[in-house]
């Protein structure tokens, strides 16, 4: 079945990496910086549950690219004369939305009425402009030769707190670490906790949330992290982590300081070398995995440092974090990292 997904600009590589893990037989039909048209054998409900997509849709029909008005009229005809809306299950209400290159736009009233009355006739549902029922979207995209008639599957991702990673990116980083139910997880630069929250939303054994600023007024440990008895909260220097035993951690996913804005009292290369030496100590010598989010410039420095910490860097994805060029580096112990 064909699907269309929208995500935050700059996350395309990481999103595709996660889709390939989460869904079966993913084939990309077309993609750009913030959207993907793809086929998969997985069900709409499975695609709709992927929390890192801003919007996910099943594609019900296509018409050749033309004006919005013309496309809406063609879809109205298609809905009345073919089975495009059959088999969608029972629905009592719906609304329609029109999106062009990621922006919502309006249709002239008579065209919208015709489009909506075709859907109402085919589904037996009534129009509910405020939502609460099904959503049918007409989607146009600069890079697509067709316009799409879609049903929306997701409720959308929640934005993260100011200065924190969004929940979508945190989830993508966690997924890139190939999480396991028996993981002992560590984020040693946990900040507002977005990565730890994304990690504990999936099965895990134990987790460590550590940040030098724990206990300072500027850092509030999220209540769900404080409440969870399996999560240890520490205020330790990530370069030392004195209370984390050697070899006790199976997975680290973290967003360290990027060495910008005078964050560090040493040069970034020295900091990164000490950080990776600390990770080498606490990580399980056989199955330890690491995912690092860094600025593109910092990533160029750390790339050469993994082998010295007995780690292999297996994949690196370029992305944008709030418009800032960044990289996600993914790897682990050499025998695990393949
Ligand atoms: C880039 S931020 C992490 C942001 C986090 N991913 C979030 O979503 O909020 C880096 C964090 O590392 C912490 N930090 C900086 N140096 C540290 C060190 N040596 N040891 C532990 N934490 C440190 C800072 O307090 C800051 O919260």
């Amino acid at each position: 079945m064909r699907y269309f997904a929208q995500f935050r600009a700059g996350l395309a590589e990481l999103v595709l990496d996660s889709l390939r893990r989460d869904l079966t037989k993913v084939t990309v039909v077309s993609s750009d910086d913030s959207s993907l048209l793809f086929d998969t054998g997985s069900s709409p409900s499975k695609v709709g549950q992927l929390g890192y997509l801003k919007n996910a849709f099943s594609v019900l029909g296509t018409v050749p690219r033309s004006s919005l008005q013309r496309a809406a009229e063609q879809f109205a005809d298609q809905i009345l004369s073919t089975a495009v809306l059959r088999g969608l299950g029972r629905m009592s209400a719906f609304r329609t939305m029109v999106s062009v290159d990621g922006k919502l736009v309006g249709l002239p009233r008579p065209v919208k009425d015709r489009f909506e009355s075709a859907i109402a006739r085919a589904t037996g549902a009534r129009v509910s402009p405020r939502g609460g029922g099904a959503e049918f979207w007409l989607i146009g995209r600069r890079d697509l030769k067709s316009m799409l008639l879609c049903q929306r599957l997701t409720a959308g991702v929640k934005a993260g707190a100011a200065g924190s990673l969004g929940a979508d990116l945190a989830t993508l980083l966690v997924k890139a670490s190939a999480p396991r139910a028996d993981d002992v997880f560590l984020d040693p630069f946990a900040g507002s906790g977005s990565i730890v929250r994304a990690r504990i939303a999936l099965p895990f054994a134990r987790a460590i949330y550590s940040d030098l600023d724990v206990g300072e007024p500027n850092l509030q440990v999220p209540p769900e992290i404080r409440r969870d008895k399996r999560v240890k909260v520490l205020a330790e220097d990530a370069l030392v982590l004195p209370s984390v035993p050697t070899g006790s951690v199976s997975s680290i996913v973290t967003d360290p300081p990027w060495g910008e804005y005078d964050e560090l009292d040493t040069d970034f290369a020295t900091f990164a070398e000490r950080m990776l030496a600390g990770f080498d100590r606490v990580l399980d010598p056989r199955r330890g995995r690491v995912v690092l989010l860094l600025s593109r410039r910092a990533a160029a420095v750390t790339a050469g440092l993994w082998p010295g910490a007995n780690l292999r860097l297996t994949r690196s994805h370029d992305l944008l974090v709030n418009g800032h060029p960044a990289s996600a580096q993914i790897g682990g112990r050499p025998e695990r990292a393949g």
Side-chain angles (χ1 to χ4, degrees):
M1 180 153 190
R2 185 154 294 182
Y3 298 90
F4 180 71
Q6 295 172 324
F7 39 84
R8 268 200 295 154
L11 299 187
E13 288 187 20
L14 269 183
V15 166
L16 188 56
D17 198 50
S18 279
L19 289 179
R20 292 215 154 103
R21 287 170 190 279
D22 291 334
L23 306 176
T24 53
K25 289 197 213 132
V26 173
T27 316
V28 175
V29 179
S30 83
S31 68
D32 62 30
D33 192 39
S34 58
S35 76
L36 190 62
L37 186 65
F38 64 100
D39 292 334
T40 165
S42 298
S43 67
S45 66
K46 179 104 193 183
V47 176
Q49 280 161 20
L50 301 173
Y52 46 85
L53 300 177
K54 193 158 85 181
N55 275 312
F57 304 89
S58 52
V59 178
L60 307 172
T62 58
V63 294
R65 193 173 174 119
S66 61
S67 71
L68 276 179
Q69 195 161 330
R70 175 93 189 98
E73 285 166 350
Q74 284 180 299
F75 278 130
D77 292 343
Q78 207 178 85
I79 289 164
L80 293 174
S81 61
T82 70
V84 276
L85 296 195
R86 282 229 190 101
L88 297 181
R90 280 181 49 162
M91 63 182 76
S92 55
F94 73 90
R95 70 171 168 178
T96 58
M97 310 288 272
V98 181
S99 158
V100 176
D101 289 331
K103 292 200 177 61
L104 292 178
V105 293
L107 277 177
R109 192 73 242 178
V111 180
K112 188 174 169 80
D113 286 347
R114 188 170 157 202
F115 183 46
E116 291 185 338
S117 71
I119 296 174
R121 269 181 61 191
T123 60
R126 68 187 159 74
V127 181
S128 164
R130 290 190 159 188
E135 286 191 12
F136 294 100
W137 286 51
L138 195 169
I139 296 175
R141 206 81 202 178
R142 204 177 309 131
D143 299 336
L144 288 179
K145 289 196 191 73
S146 308
M147 299 182 90
L148 313 174
L149 172 65
C150 296
Q151 183 174 13
R152 190 180 185 205
L153 304 172
T154 41
V157 290
K158 295 185 205 90
S164 75
L165 297 181
D168 48 354
L169 178 51
T171 302
L172 289 166
L173 296 171
V174 163
K175 295 256 178 184
S177 74
R180 296 167 44 128
D182 61 354
D183 268 339
V184 177
F185 173 81
L186 166 68
D187 181 354
F189 300 98
S192 66
S194 17
I195 294 175
V196 180
R197 279 157 77 176
R199 182 62 192 87
I200 67 176
L202 299 169
F204 72 106
R206 285 185 293 118
I208 303 165
Y209 163 116
S210 186
D211 194 290
L212 264 187
D213 280 359
V214 167
E216 300 289 329
N218 61 322
L219 201 159
Q220 304 301 323
V221 180
E224 67 264 47
I225 291 175
R226 283 235 176 261
R227 272 196 305 265
D228 195 317
K229 301 241 173 338
R230 297 166 300 167
V231 185
K232 196 192 249 182
V233 175
L234 301 175
E236 295 193 345
D237 184 348
L239 309 187
V240 190
L241 294 166
S243 54
V244 180
T246 298
S248 64
V249 168
S250 61
S251 165
I252 296 175
V253 180
T254 196
D255 167 23
W258 293 357
E260 297 169 357
Y261 321 116
D262 301 325
E263 288 168 315
L264 305 174
D265 46 20
T266 173
D267 64 289
F268 181 76
T270 307
F271 169 83
E273 203 167 350
R274 291 178 59 203
M275 171 183 82
L276 284 165
F279 292 0
D280 183 23
R281 182 187 70 77
V282 299
L283 270 176
D284 183 305
R286 283 181 305 109
R287 60 190 201 104
R289 286 113 59 214
V290 179
V291 175
L292 289 181
L293 178 68
L294 297 151
S295 69
R296 208 85 46 90
R297 194 184 304 171
V301 176
T302 55
L305 299 175
W306 286 57
N310 301 308
L311 294 166
R312 190 189 324 151
L313 173 59
T314 47
R315 299 198 306 292
S316 183
H317 292 302
D318 287 345
L319 59 136
L320 294 174
V321 177
N322 304 326
H324 197 117
S327 295
Q329 294 185 327
I330 302 158
R333 294 302 193 193
E335 60 265 44
R336 280 277 327 164

